[in-house]
């Protein structure tokens, strides 16, 4: 946990962090660095810290007071973490404001909030999170929360209250209120619905997973989602499961009640129908997988779990069991050997009895051999008859094979002709598909340009056709470009000739008759080509101007 701060902390602090990790790895313990005799906030609130000995079997939310570094090290780490800005998708945790203010006063961090009367030398005690014990609460970033839990522990009866940051139109804010969603089947009656609360940053795949659970949809049956932000809004397809539900529905309030409809397939694999019989889009394929865990669920191993202590405990238990079971194993082995000896003596008696039986059987076998020799003579005569019949059948099969070979040759000729026609049709379809793919790429990468006040609409694919041009460098994604209020990119050049530049990039060359016949226009266009570093266009215009001058 401390390695992420080594680049920003003094060497004394980072060395202390390494010492703490080393002591915790080998099961060492150290006294708390939080001195003072006054009553901590947790004691005032009527709670107590958990026992530190339970660290190996509990999560960080239930651990008690653990090793705390000196106050200067705590201040150095927490000052940076308390100044974190709100970023969409980050998690923040709720802490009672009184506890947090006492901590800041104790370690020497300035605060604009009024102080609650605790002395500066008083440690705050275990973290208090429940709102019952204070009129106001504060929130801290997830990294700061983990450091505080590791240093001070979490008070008994309190649990982590995890909130997420969502980007509203007014800016990123902590999502204190979670929206209520109305979940229904696309073909169910209006009164059949469920109300479930989801964060706006939950994935569409998790919402669909919960809807499938509510209606007991089996895993073999496919499904997809339709939703609308308000009851009177239009339905939208939610076929991309890896996107946040609030971003897809453009939700900008904690008090909207979106409606979600789950569409499933029938027994034949066909979709039962979208809500209100809306026509599905052309690309109605579901993308991504169902998400079975909420973003607030911690599906990883608890970060505070002391695995080394568990390994030692398991090793001791294993040795004790091995020592206790060794004598039992030896005694069972002796009993097994005695039983095997008795079994072998019994088997020896059985073998002797079987030898006598074998002698009697050998006599019977000799008699059977005589009978078998007579039957062999008869079989040889039948084999001769069957051999003659086989030769006749082989001749018939050879004649039929010759006929089938002729028919096969005729079929192969027909198939060869059909294959040639199919290959020609396949080539035409491939060319058509390639053309449509290029057209789709152009439509997906549409972009608006403002050239000297003139608006142009084109695509990134067109602007990057010449990889050595300035336009390709600007829109290659390597540089961050600022857009205007209308979403266009402004370039301070004469927009009169920019359409010729775009036509050149679209066609890959200058087609005959597309340029103006004025030499002055050629020179102005040459200036624009040199500015945008279109070397081939500039060379073509230079040659055109030279030819014009030589003729005059």
């Amino acid at each position: 946990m401390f390695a992420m701060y080594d680049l920003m902390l003094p060497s004394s602090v980072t060395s202390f962090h390494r010492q703490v990790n080393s002591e915790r790895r080998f099961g060492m313990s150290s006294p708390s660095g939080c001195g003072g005799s006054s009553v901590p906030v947790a004691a005032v609130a009527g709670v107590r810290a958990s026992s530190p000995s339970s660290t190996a079997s509990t999560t960080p939310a239930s651990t008690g007071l653990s090793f705390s570094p000196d106050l200067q090290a705590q201040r150095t780490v927490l000052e940076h973490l308390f100044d974190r800005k709100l970023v969409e998708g980050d998690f923040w945790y709720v802490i009672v404001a009184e506890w947090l203010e006492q901590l800041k006063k104790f370690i020497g961090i300035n605060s604009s909030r009024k102080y609650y009367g605790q002395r500066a030398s008083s440690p705050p005690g275990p973290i208090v999170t429940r709102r019952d014990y204070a009129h106001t609460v504060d929130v801290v970033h997830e990294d700061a929360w983990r450091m505080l839990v590791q240093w001070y522990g979490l008070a008994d009866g309190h649990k982590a209250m995890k909130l997420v940051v969502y980007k509203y139109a007014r800016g990123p804010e902590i999502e204190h209120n979670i929206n209520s969603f109305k979940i229904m089947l696309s073909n169910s009656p209006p009164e059949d619905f469920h109300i479930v609360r989801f964060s706006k940053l939950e994935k569409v795949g998790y919402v669909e997973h919960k809807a499938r659970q509510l209606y007991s949809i089996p895993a073999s049956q496919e499904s997809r989602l339709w939703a609308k932000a308000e009851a009177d809004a239009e339905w939208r397809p939610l076929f991309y499961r890896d996107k946040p539900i609030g971003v897809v529905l453009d939700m900008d309030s904690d008090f909207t009640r979106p409606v979600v409809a789950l569409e499933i397939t029938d027994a034949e694999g066909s979709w039962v129908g979208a809500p209100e019989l809306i026509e599905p889009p052309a690309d109605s394929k579901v993308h991504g997988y169902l998400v079975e865990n909420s973003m607030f669920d911690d599906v990883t191993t608890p970060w505070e779990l002391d695995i080394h202590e568990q390994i030692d405990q398991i090793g001791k238990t294993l040795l004790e069991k091995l020592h206790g079971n060794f004598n039992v194993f030896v005694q069972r082995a002796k009993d097994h050997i005695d039983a095997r000896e008795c079994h072998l003596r019994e088997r020896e008696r059985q073998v002797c009895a079987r030898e006598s039986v074998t002698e009697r059987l050998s006599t019977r076998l000799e008699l059977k051999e005589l009978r078998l020799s007579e039957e062999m003579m008869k079989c040889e005569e039948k084999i001769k008859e069957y051999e003659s019949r086989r030769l006749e059948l082989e001749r018939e099969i050879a004649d039929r094979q010759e006929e089938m070979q002729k028919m096969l040759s005729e079929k192969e000729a027909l198939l060869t002709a059909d294959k040639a026609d199919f290959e020609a049709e396949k080539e035409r379809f491939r060319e058509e598909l390639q053309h449509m793919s290029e057209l789709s790429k152009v439509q997906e990468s549409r972009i608006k340009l403002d050239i000297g006040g003139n608006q142009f609409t084109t695509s990134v694919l067109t602007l990057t056709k010449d990889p050595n041009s300035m336009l390709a460098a600007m829109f290659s994604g390597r540089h961050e470009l600022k857009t205007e209020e209308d979403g266009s990119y402004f370039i301070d050049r004469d927009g009169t000739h920019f359409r010729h530049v775009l036509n050149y990039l679209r066609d890959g060359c200058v087609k005959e008759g597309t340029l103006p016949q004025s030499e002055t226009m050629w020179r102005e266009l040459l200036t624009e080509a040199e500015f945008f570093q279109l070397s081939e266009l500039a060379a073509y215009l230079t040659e055109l101007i030279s030819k014009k001058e030589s003729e005059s």
Side-chain angles (χ1 to χ4, degrees), residues 63-77:
T63 57
L65 192 63
S66 60
F67 185 90
S68 299
D70 57 79
L71 301 184
Q72 181 181 359
Q74 292 187 42
R75 182 171 62 252
T76 305
V77 173

Side-chain angles (χ1 to χ4, degrees), residues 185 205 208-209 211-212 217-226 238-239 241 261-265 271 284-288 290:
L185 290 176
E208 184 175 352
H209 171 70
R212 290 174 64 94
I217 305 301
S220 59
Q221 195 168 7
E222 297 184 8
S223 63
R224 60 186 181 186
L225 282 187
W226 299 79
L238 306 183
F239 298 160
R241 292 170 172 164
L262 180 69
E263 183 185 3
I264 59 177
T265 55
W271 295 106
S284 58
K285 182 181 179 182
V286 178
H287 302 270
L290 294 176

